[in-house]
Amino acid sequence: MKNNTKFALALLVVGIAISCKQAENAEDSANAVTDSTSVVSSSAAVQPKNSNRKFVRTADIKFKVKNVAKSTGVIEDATNKFGGFVTYTNLQSNISDEDKTKISPDSTLVTTKYTVENNLTIRVPNRQLDTVIKTIAHQIGFLNYRVIKADDVTLQMLSNQMAQSRSASSENRIANAIDIKGKKLNQIIDAEENLDAKKEVKDSKVIENLSLNDQVNFSTLTLQIYQDSSVMQEMIANEKSVNAYRPHLGLQLWDSLKTGWFILENILSFLVVLWPFALIGVLGFLGYKKIVKK
């Protein structure tokens, strides 16, 4: 009875220890997620309340993940969820080493070491930038760096608007002067060129403000994600050498005999072709002997 009681107490202690360890691990995981979120996030990514200032926000983050393909899917889904869009993604595997080991005459083991990485550029609504960054933080295993910038372009946009207004006023005055006072052709041409230059300046400021408005409304995130190096092993078939297709010795001897016979036939054929010269030679020789006898 006492032994059973001791055994039950021991099991209880072990159970409590395991539960405490699991609780500590869960707490550590939660703390790690919280720490990564707090490290990646920044007040520069938060839109100030009741502020008329215009900020162009950008973020550049590099970090390691467990699985690049899965994390890419999570990031793209989060981007779409919060009203953003992906403008660039380049998922690729970079081979660092490749080794070939011949296992048998017809098989080779290929061992490839590679690293998977992806470079993404995403655009998200300005007010959702901090939320998207905190969502991405859950994928971070190791943070290399994070750079978040908030450039105040309020005065620059105001300057562009004032330049547009001045250009529009100058355009009107030049156009009126052309209609009222323009008499000579040279004067009209010069005035028209000046008017075109004013319009070009105004248009460039309009386009610049449109571009700034787009950058203000949608923040740009540049992400570089990668994972630990992986190893892939693949068994491939060896290519047979030319020697593997060589015929056996008996067949080679037979082919040699046939080749020699063909050569002999060619020689005989060639000699037969020369029979007129042989005939002339014989007749000439007989004639020579008759002349010598006489």
Side-chain angles (χ1 to χ4, degrees):
M1 185 68 179
K2 292 181 178 180
N3 291 334
N4 292 336
T5 303
K6 290 180 180 179
F7 182 71
L9 290 174
L11 289 178
L12 180 61
V13 171
V14 172
I16 293 173
I18 294 174
S19 299
C20 292
K21 187 65 176 177
Q22 290 177 347
E24 289 177 0
N25 293 336
E27 185 177 357
D28 291 340
S29 299
N31 290 335
V33 172
T34 303
D35 291 342
S36 63
T37 302
S38 60
V39 168
V40 175
S41 182
S42 171
S43 59
V46 180
Q47 177 70 23
K49 295 181 178 179
N50 301 324
S51 175
N52 293 325
R53 291 186 174 274
K54 304 291 185 180
F55 290 95
V56 173
R57 290 182 171 82
T58 58
D60 189 1
I61 310 173
K62 181 178 181 179
F63 55 93
K64 183 175 73 174
V65 299
K66 291 182 178 180
N67 187 294
V68 169
K70 291 182 179 179
S71 295
T72 297
V74 172
I75 293 171
E76 292 179 349
D77 290 342
T79 301
N80 294 330
K81 177 181 177 181
F82 295 107
F85 50 91
V86 179
T87 60
Y88 178 78
T89 177
N90 182 14
L91 178 63
Q92 60 182 345
S93 297
N94 296 321
I95 297 176
S96 58
D97 186 33
E98 187 176 66
D99 182 58
K100 294 183 178 180
T101 305
K102 192 172 183 179
I103 303 300
S104 65
D106 58 352
S107 300
T108 296
L109 178 65
V110 180
T111 303
T112 305
K113 296 180 180 179
Y114 63 96
T115 302
V116 181
E117 63 180 23
N118 191 8
N119 295 327
L120 299 97
T121 302
I122 60 177
R123 304 285 306 280
V124 296
N126 202 13
R127 295 185 178 276
Q128 299 290 350
L129 176 60
D130 189 54
T131 304
V132 173
I133 290 177
K134 289 179 179 178
T135 303
I136 293 173
H138 293 284
Q139 302 297 315
I140 296 177
F142 174 78
L143 178 67
N144 292 74
Y145 61 80
R146 77 105 168 94
V147 180
I148 300 176
K149 295 193 297 183
D151 297 325
D152 189 350
V153 294
T154 307
L155 295 179
Q156 184 178 352
M157 296 181 71
L158 179 60
S159 175
N160 290 340
Q161 291 174 357
M162 294 172 67
Q164 293 174 38
S165 179
R166 289 195 302 270
S167 295
S169 177
S170 179
E171 283 178 30
N172 292 332
R173 290 198 302 271
I174 293 175
N176 291 333
I178 292 174
D179 294 337
I180 298 173
K181 300 180 180 179
K183 296 180 180 179
K184 295 182 179 180
L185 181 59
N186 292 336
Q187 294 177 348
I188 294 176
I189 292 175
D190 292 340
E192 289 286 355
E193 290 178 352
N194 193 7
L195 179 60
D196 290 339
K198 295 294 183 182
K199 289 182 178 180
E200 186 176 352
V201 171
K202 186 185 74 172
D203 292 342
S204 66
K205 294 301 180 180
V206 170
I207 293 173
E208 186 176 344
N209 256 11
L210 289 174
S211 176
L212 287 175
N213 269 319
D214 178 67
Q215 296 176 59
V216 168
N217 294 330
F218 282 86
S219 301
T220 302
L221 283 83
T222 303
L223 307 176
Q224 300 180 56
I225 61 177
Y226 64 96
Q227 66 186 50
D228 288 329
S229 296
S230 302
V231 177
M232 181 185 71
Q233 292 184 322
E234 182 183 13
M235 193 75 71
I236 63 174
N238 293 334
E239 294 182 1
K240 290 185 177 180
S241 65
V242 177
N243 294 330
Y245 299 96
R246 291 182 60 188
H248 56 80
L249 181 59
L251 185 59
Q252 293 183 56
L253 293 174
W254 176 246
D255 288 339
S256 299
L257 288 173
K258 291 193 296 183
T259 302
W261 176 254
F262 294 149
I263 292 174
L264 180 60
E265 288 180 344
N266 291 331
I267 294 173
L268 294 174
S269 299
F270 178 74
L271 293 176
V272 171
V273 170
L274 298 177
W275 70 266
F277 299 99
L279 180 61
I280 293 172
V282 171
L283 294 175
F285 177 74
L286 294 175
Y288 174 74
K289 287 181 69 176
K290 287 181 179 181
I291 294 172
V292 169
K293 287 180 180 181
K294 291 180 179 181

